[in-house]
Coordinates of all heavy atoms in Angstrom, one line a residue:
F116 N 210.9 125.0 122.2 CA 210.0 124.3 121.3 C 209.0 123.3 122.2 O 207.9 123.1 121.9 CB 210.7 123.5 120.3 CG 209.9 122.8 119.3 CD1 209.4 123.5 118.2 CD2 209.6 121.4 119.4 CE1 208.5 122.8 117.3 CE2 208.9 120.8 118.4 CZ 208.3 121.4 117.4
E117 N 209.6 122.7 123.2 CA 209.0 121.8 124.1 C 207.9 122.5 125.0 O 207.1 121.8 125.5 CB 209.9 121.0 124.9 CG 210.7 120.0 124.1 CD 209.9 119.0 123.4 OE1 208.9 118.5 123.9 OE2 210.2 118.7 122.2
H118 N 207.9 123.8 125.0 CA 207.0 124.6 125.8 C 205.6 124.6 125.1 O 204.6 125.1 125.7 CB 207.4 126.0 126.1 CG 208.5 126.0 127.2 ND1 209.1 127.2 127.7 CD2 209.1 125.0 127.9 CE1 210.0 126.9 128.6 NE2 210.0 125.6 128.7
M119 N 205.6 124.3 123.8 CA 204.4 124.3 123.1 C 203.6 123.1 123.1 O 204.3 122.0 123.2 CB 204.7 124.7 121.6 CG 205.3 126.1 121.4 SD 205.4 126.5 119.7 CE 206.9 125.6 119.3
S120 N 202.3 123.1 123.0 CA 201.6 121.9 122.8 C 201.8 121.3 121.3 O 202.4 122.0 120.6 CB 200.2 122.2 123.0 OG 199.6 123.0 121.9
K121 N 201.3 120.1 121.2 CA 201.5 119.4 119.8 C 200.8 120.3 118.7 O 201.3 120.6 117.6 CB 200.9 118.1 119.8 CG 201.0 117.4 118.5 CD 202.4 117.2 118.0 CE 202.6 116.3 116.8 NZ 201.9 116.7 115.6
A122 N 199.6 120.8 119.1 CA 198.9 121.7 118.1 C 199.7 123.0 117.8 O 199.8 123.5 116.7 CB 197.5 122.0 118.6
E123 N 200.3 123.6 118.9 CA 201.1 124.8 118.7 C 202.3 124.4 117.9 O 202.8 125.4 117.1 CB 201.4 125.4 120.2 CG 200.2 126.0 120.8 CD 200.4 126.3 122.3 OE1 201.4 125.8 122.8 OE2 199.7 127.1 122.8
Q124 N 203.0 123.4 118.2 CA 204.1 123.0 117.4 C 203.8 123.0 115.9 O 204.6 123.4 115.1 CB 204.7 121.8 118.0 CG 205.4 121.9 119.3 CD 205.8 120.5 119.9 OE1 205.5 119.5 119.3 NE2 206.5 120.5 120.9
D125 N 202.7 122.3 115.6 CA 202.3 122.2 114.2 C 202.0 123.5 113.5 O 202.4 123.8 112.4 CB 201.1 121.3 114.1 CG 201.4 119.8 114.4 OD1 202.5 119.4 114.4 OD2 200.4 119.1 114.7
F126 N 201.4 124.4 114.3 CA 201.0 125.7 113.8 C 202.4 126.5 113.6 O 202.5 127.3 112.6 CB 200.1 126.5 115.0 CG 200.0 128.0 114.6 CD1 199.0 128.3 113.6 CD2 200.8 128.9 115.2 CE1 198.9 129.7 113.3 CE2 200.6 130.3 114.9 CZ 199.6 130.6 114.0
C127 N 203.2 126.4 114.6 CA 204.5 127.1 114.4 C 205.3 126.7 113.2 O 205.8 127.6 112.4 CB 205.4 126.9 115.7 SG 206.9 127.9 115.8
T128 N 205.3 125.4 113.0 CA 206.1 124.9 111.7 C 205.4 125.4 110.5 O 206.0 125.8 109.5 CB 206.1 123.4 111.9 OG1 206.8 122.9 113.0 CG2 206.8 122.8 110.6
G129 N 204.1 125.2 110.5 CA 203.3 125.7 109.3 C 203.4 127.1 109.1 O 203.5 127.6 107.9
Y130 N 203.4 128.0 110.1 CA 203.5 129.4 110.0 C 204.8 129.8 109.5 O 204.9 130.7 108.6 CB 203.3 130.1 111.4 CG 203.3 131.6 111.4 CD1 202.1 132.3 110.9 CD2 204.5 132.3 111.7 CE1 202.2 133.7 110.9 CE2 204.4 133.7 111.7 CZ 203.4 134.4 111.3 OH 203.4 135.7 111.3
A131 N 205.9 129.1 110.0 CA 207.2 129.4 109.4 C 207.4 129.1 108.0 O 208.0 129.8 107.2 CB 208.3 128.7 110.3
N132 N 206.8 128.0 107.5 CA 206.8 127.7 106.1 C 206.1 128.6 105.3 O 206.5 129.0 104.2 CB 206.3 126.2 105.9 CG 207.2 125.1 106.5 OD1 208.4 125.4 106.7 ND2 206.6 124.0 106.9
M133 N 204.9 129.1 105.8 CA 204.1 130.0 105.1 C 204.9 131.4 104.9 O 204.9 131.9 103.8 CB 202.8 130.3 105.8 CG 201.9 131.3 105.1 SD 200.4 131.6 106.0 CE 201.1 132.5 107.5
V134 N 205.6 131.8 105.9 CA 206.4 133.0 105.9 C 207.5 132.9 104.9 O 207.7 133.8 104.1 CB 206.9 133.4 107.2 CG1 207.9 134.6 107.2 CG2 205.8 133.8 108.2
Q135 N 208.1 131.8 105.0 CA 209.3 131.5 104.0 C 208.8 131.5 102.5 O 209.4 132.2 101.7 CB 209.9 130.1 104.3 CG 211.0 129.7 103.3 CD 212.3 130.5 103.6 OE1 212.7 130.7 104.7 NE2 212.9 131.1 102.5
R136 N 207.6 130.9 102.3 CA 207.1 130.9 100.8 C 206.7 132.4 100.5 O 207.0 132.8 99.4 CB 205.9 130.0 100.8 CG 206.2 128.5 100.9 CD 205.1 127.6 100.5 NE 203.9 127.9 101.3 CZ 203.5 127.2 102.4 NH1 204.4 126.3 102.8 NH2 202.4 127.4 103.0
F137 N 206.1 133.1 101.4 CA 205.6 134.4 101.1 C 206.9 135.3 100.8 O 206.9 136.1 99.9 CB 204.9 135.0 102.2 CG 204.5 136.5 102.1 CD1 203.5 136.9 101.2 CD2 205.2 137.5 102.8 CE1 203.2 138.3 101.0 CE2 204.9 138.8 102.6 CZ 204.0 139.1 101.8
L138 N 207.9 135.3 101.7 CA 209.0 136.2 101.4 C 209.9 135.8 100.1 O 210.3 136.6 99.5 CB 210.0 136.1 102.6 CG 209.4 136.6 103.9 CD1 210.5 136.5 105.1 CD2 209.1 138.1 103.8
G139 N 209.8 134.4 99.9 CA 210.4 133.9 98.6 C 209.7 134.4 97.5 O 210.4 134.9 96.5
A140 N 208.5 134.4 97.4 CA 207.6 134.8 96.3 C 207.7 136.4 96.2 O 207.6 136.9 95.0 CB 206.2 134.4 96.3
S141 N 207.9 137.1 97.3 CA 207.9 138.6 97.3 C 209.2 139.1 96.8 O 209.2 140.0 96.0 CB 207.6 139.1 98.7 OG 206.3 138.7 99.1
F142 N 210.3 138.6 97.4 CA 211.6 139.2 96.9 C 212.8 138.3 97.1 O 213.8 138.5 96.4 CB 211.9 140.5 97.6 CG 212.1 140.4 99.2 CD1 213.3 140.2 99.7 CD2 211.0 140.4 100.0 CE1 213.5 140.1 101.0 CE2 211.2 140.2 101.4 CZ 212.4 140.1 101.9
L143 N 212.7 137.3 98.1 CA 213.9 136.6 98.3 C 214.4 135.8 97.1 O 215.7 135.7 96.8 CB 213.7 135.5 99.4 CG 213.5 136.1 100.9 CD1 213.3 135.0 101.9 CD2 214.9 136.9 101.2
D144 N 213.5 135.2 96.3 CA 213.9 134.4 95.1 C 214.7 135.3 94.1 O 215.4 134.6 93.3 CB 212.7 133.7 94.5 CG 212.1 132.7 95.4 OD1 212.7 132.3 96.3 OD2 210.9 132.3 95.1
A145 N 214.5 136.5 94.2 CA 215.2 137.4 93.2 C 216.6 137.8 93.7 O 217.5 138.4 92.9 CB 214.4 138.7 93.0
L146 N 216.9 137.5 94.9 CA 218.3 137.7 95.5 C 219.2 136.6 95.1 O 218.8 135.5 95.0 CB 218.2 138.0 97.0 CG 217.3 139.1 97.5 CD1 217.2 139.1 99.0 CD2 217.8 140.5 97.0
P147 N 220.6 136.9 95.2 CA 221.5 135.8 95.1 C 221.3 134.8 96.3 O 220.8 135.1 97.4 CB 222.9 136.6 95.4 CG 222.6 138.0 95.0 CD 221.1 138.3 95.4
E148 N 221.6 133.6 95.9 CA 221.3 132.4 96.8 C 222.0 132.7 98.1 O 221.3 132.4 99.2 CB 221.8 131.2 96.2 CG 221.4 129.9 97.1 CD 221.7 128.6 96.3 OE1 222.0 128.7 95.1 OE2 221.5 127.5 96.9
S149 N 223.2 133.3 98.2 CA 223.8 133.5 99.6 C 223.0 134.4 100.4 O 223.3 134.5 101.6 CB 225.1 134.0 99.3 OG 225.2 135.2 98.6
L150 N 222.1 135.2 99.9 CA 221.3 136.2 100.7 C 219.9 135.8 101.0 O 219.2 136.6 101.5 CB 221.3 137.6 100.0 CG 222.7 138.2 99.6 CD1 222.6 139.4 98.8 CD2 223.5 138.4 101.0
R151 N 219.5 134.6 100.6 CA 218.2 134.2 100.8 C 217.8 133.6 102.1 O 216.6 133.5 102.5 CB 217.8 133.1 99.7 CG 217.9 133.7 98.3 CD 217.6 132.6 97.3 NE 217.8 133.0 95.9 CZ 217.7 132.2 94.9 NH1 217.3 130.9 95.0 NH2 217.9 132.7 93.7
R152 N 218.8 133.3 102.9 CA 218.5 132.5 104.2 C 217.9 133.6 105.2 O 218.4 134.7 105.3 CB 219.8 132.0 104.8 CG 220.3 130.8 104.0 CD 221.4 130.1 104.8 NE 220.9 129.7 106.2 CZ 221.9 129.3 107.1 NH1 223.2 129.1 106.7 NH2 221.4 128.9 108.2
I153 N 216.9 133.2 105.9 CA 216.2 134.0 106.9 C 216.3 133.2 108.3 O 215.6 133.6 109.2 CB 214.9 134.5 106.6 CG1 213.9 133.2 106.4 CG2 214.8 135.3 105.3 CD1 212.5 133.5 106.2
D154 N 217.0 132.1 108.3 CA 217.1 131.3 109.5 C 218.3 131.3 110.3 O 218.7 130.4 111.0 CB 216.8 129.8 109.2 CG 217.8 129.2 108.1 OD1 218.6 130.1 107.7 OD2 217.7 128.0 107.9
K155 N 219.0 132.5 110.1 CA 220.3 132.6 110.8 C 219.9 133.2 112.3 O 219.0 133.9 112.4 CB 221.1 133.7 110.2 CG 221.6 133.3 108.8 CD 222.4 134.4 108.1 CE 222.9 134.0 106.8 NZ 223.7 135.1 106.1
P156 N 220.6 132.7 113.3 CA 220.2 132.9 114.7 C 220.2 134.5 115.0 O 219.4 134.9 115.8 CB 221.3 132.3 115.5 CG 221.7 131.1 114.6 CD 221.6 131.6 113.3
E157 N 221.1 135.2 114.4 CA 221.1 136.7 114.6 C 219.9 137.4 114.0 O 219.6 138.6 114.4 CB 222.4 137.3 114.0 CG 222.6 137.1 112.5 CD 223.3 135.8 112.2 OE1 223.4 134.9 113.0 OE2 223.9 135.8 111.1
M158 N 219.1 136.6 113.2 CA 217.9 137.3 112.6 C 216.7 136.9 113.3 O 215.6 137.4 113.2 CB 217.8 136.8 111.1 CG 218.9 137.1 110.3 SD 218.9 136.4 108.6 CE 217.5 137.3 107.9
F159 N 216.8 136.0 114.4 CA 215.6 135.6 115.1 C 215.1 136.8 116.0 O 215.9 137.5 116.6 CB 216.0 134.4 115.9 CG 216.3 133.2 115.2 CD1 216.9 132.1 116.0 CD2 216.2 133.1 113.8 CE1 217.3 131.0 115.2 CE2 216.5 132.0 113.2 CZ 217.1 130.9 113.9
V160 N 213.8 136.8 116.2 CA 213.1 137.6 117.2 C 213.2 136.7 118.5 O 212.6 135.7 118.5 CB 211.7 138.0 116.8 CG1 211.1 138.7 118.0 CG2 211.7 138.8 115.6

Side-chain angles (χ1 to χ4, degrees):
F116 186 77
E117 291 301 319
H118 285 182
M119 294 185 286
S120 67
K121 179 61 169 63
E123 289 172 339
Q124 291 173 352
D125 292 342
F126 172 81
C127 185
T128 302
Y130 182 81
N132 292 335
M133 181 183 67
V134 170
Q135 178 71 49
R136 291 194 301 270
F137 172 77
L138 294 179
S141 297
F142 66 92
L143 285 181
D144 289 348
L146 298 177
E148 187 172 351
S149 60
L150 300 178
R151 294 179 188 175
R152 289 189 57 187
I153 61 172
D154 58 350
K155 298 179 180 179
E157 60 270 21
M158 302 174 68
F159 296 167
V160 176

